[in-house]
Amino acid sequence: MVGDKSLSSRIFNATNIIILGIIALLCILPFIHVIGSSFATGAEIAQRSFLLFPTQFSLDAYRYIFSTDTLLRSMGVSIGVTLGGTLWSMLLSVLTAYGLSRRDLVGRRLLMFFIVFTMLFNGGMIPTFLVVQQTGLIDSLLALIVPVTINAFNMIILRSFFMNLPSGLEESAKIDGCSDFGVLFRIVIPCSLPAIATISLFYAVTYWNTYMHAILYINDPDKWPVQVLLRQIVVLATGLNYDGSEYTSVPPPEISVKMAVIVVATIPVLLVYPFLQKYFAKGALIGSMKG
């Protein structure tokens, strides 16, 4: 009987490994195709519809997108917006979530109603643009941060996580003379690192992928984030550099340029994710257990 259970367990585990392995392979193959195509020559791309490993490596696509320092400047803008916006959003989100997690807060339910209401209804693109315009944020990098400072869903996850913390921790800290801010920064935040890391990743990806707000609010090309510039590179990959000057040699195929653009835009997030991955699932699941 024990042997049967052991055999069935091994069969079940092997089946899971095979199925999950196939799913993982299907998920990673498109990305391998993107990387391989970005290094392929035009002739090889024309001959092979699905390319994983090019037979002849070519750096023409990367030479093209790095042909001026515009891309590096744009990467700097995106990195600055991502770092500054994530820190600012996390500060306000943590403060708001902690306040709303306190059961003695007067009007807590009404405030939560207004916050949840924004998840269902919003003013729309034109009213938001008018607010940004009237506050003088047009052509300012703050326009990429201020309108999306707090995400209601992210704040609710943090609030739920804070509410799951043992109340005895806060009571002990209060007995030792901690203020509310002392409890937050010395007790609550250190105990909530999984949730904070998860929400930080959510905010960072949002700021890094900023596109529509940059199109609406940023007119100066020197302040374009990388997503907007990379779109321009793809659109203008027809014989001219994206700064308007003539390309010095035959431009690379449009497909390889697109693939190189995807790689450049994705690598920074891939470099950050492994450091936060161990917190990601734990923070998201624990924060969603309790409303």
Side-chain angles (χ1 to χ4, degrees):
M1 190 70 177
V2 175
D4 292 340
K5 288 184 178 179
S6 178
L7 178 60
S8 62
S9 177
R10 288 198 297 268
I11 294 175
F12 178 77
N13 290 336
T15 304
N16 277 342
I17 291 174
I18 293 173
I19 293 175
L20 293 176
I22 293 174
I23 294 175
L25 184 62
L26 292 175
C27 291
I28 199 171
L29 276 179
F31 193 68
I32 296 177
H33 168 65
V34 168
I35 296 177
S37 299
S38 70
F39 288 103
T41 61
E44 189 169 7
I45 291 176
Q47 293 173 359
R48 302 167 60 184
S49 58
F50 187 75
L51 186 153
L52 294 179
F53 302 102
T55 56
Q56 293 183 345
F57 281 83
S58 172
L59 296 176
D60 287 346
Y62 291 95
R63 291 192 186 99
Y64 178 75
I65 62 178
F66 284 102
S67 58
T68 71
D69 62 351
T70 307
L71 181 60
L72 295 178
R73 181 172 62 246
S74 186
M75 292 279 284
V77 170
S78 286
I79 291 173
V81 169
T82 299
L83 293 178
T86 300
L87 290 174
W88 176 242
S89 294
M90 284 305 303
L91 175 63
L92 295 187
S93 295
V94 167
L95 292 176
T96 305
Y98 178 64
L100 293 173
S101 70
R102 301 294 297 271
R103 291 176 173 80
D104 57 348
L105 178 66
V106 178
R108 180 168 67 105
R109 294 184 180 275
L110 181 62
L111 292 174
M112 277 302 302
F113 169 78
F114 285 124
I115 290 174
V116 174
F117 184 85
T118 64
M119 298 175 63
L120 305 175
F121 306 97
N122 59 71
M125 181 186 300
I126 295 178
T128 304
F129 177 84
L130 293 176
V131 170
V132 172
Q133 185 182 50
Q134 293 300 318
T135 52
L137 295 180
I138 295 295
D139 257 350
S140 169
L141 295 182
L142 291 177
L144 306 180
I145 299 175
V146 174
V148 291
T149 295
I150 295 183
N151 180 280
F153 175 76
N154 293 342
M155 192 280 298
I156 290 173
I157 291 180
L158 281 176
R159 171 181 173 271
S160 299
F161 197 100
F162 292 160
M163 292 178 68
N164 289 332
L165 294 176
S167 58
L169 292 175
E170 297 187 27
E171 294 172 359
S172 300
K174 286 291 183 69
I175 293 174
D176 291 338
C178 269
S179 63
D180 288 332
F181 282 104
V183 172
L184 174 62
F185 289 103
R186 295 183 181 182
I187 305 297
V188 175
I189 290 180
C191 292
S192 305
L193 289 181
I196 291 175
T198 301
I199 302 305
S200 296
L201 182 60
F202 287 166
Y203 277 124
V205 172
T206 299
Y207 282 117
W208 180 261
N209 290 330
T210 295
Y211 174 76
M212 183 56 67
H213 285 178
I215 290 292
L216 292 174
Y217 309 138
I218 305 297
N219 300 318
D220 185 357
D222 291 338
K223 296 181 181 179
W224 278 349
V226 68
Q227 305 298 341
V228 177
L229 181 65
L230 293 179
R231 174 189 175 275
Q232 294 299 106
I233 293 175
V234 172
V235 171
L236 299 178
T238 56
L240 294 178
N241 283 327
Y242 46 86
D243 61 357
S245 61
E246 292 186 1
Y247 196 60
T248 55
S249 60
V250 179
E254 183 181 356
I255 295 296
S256 64
V257 172
K258 289 181 179 179
M259 299 305 181
V261 162
I262 294 173
V263 172
V264 170
T266 306
I267 282 179
V269 177
L270 292 180
L271 294 178
V272 172
Y273 181 75
F275 298 100
L276 302 178
Q277 190 271 338
K278 64 180 180 179
Y279 301 110
F280 188 80
K282 182 179 178 182
L285 291 177
I286 292 179
S288 62
M289 281 183 177
K290 186 174 179 183

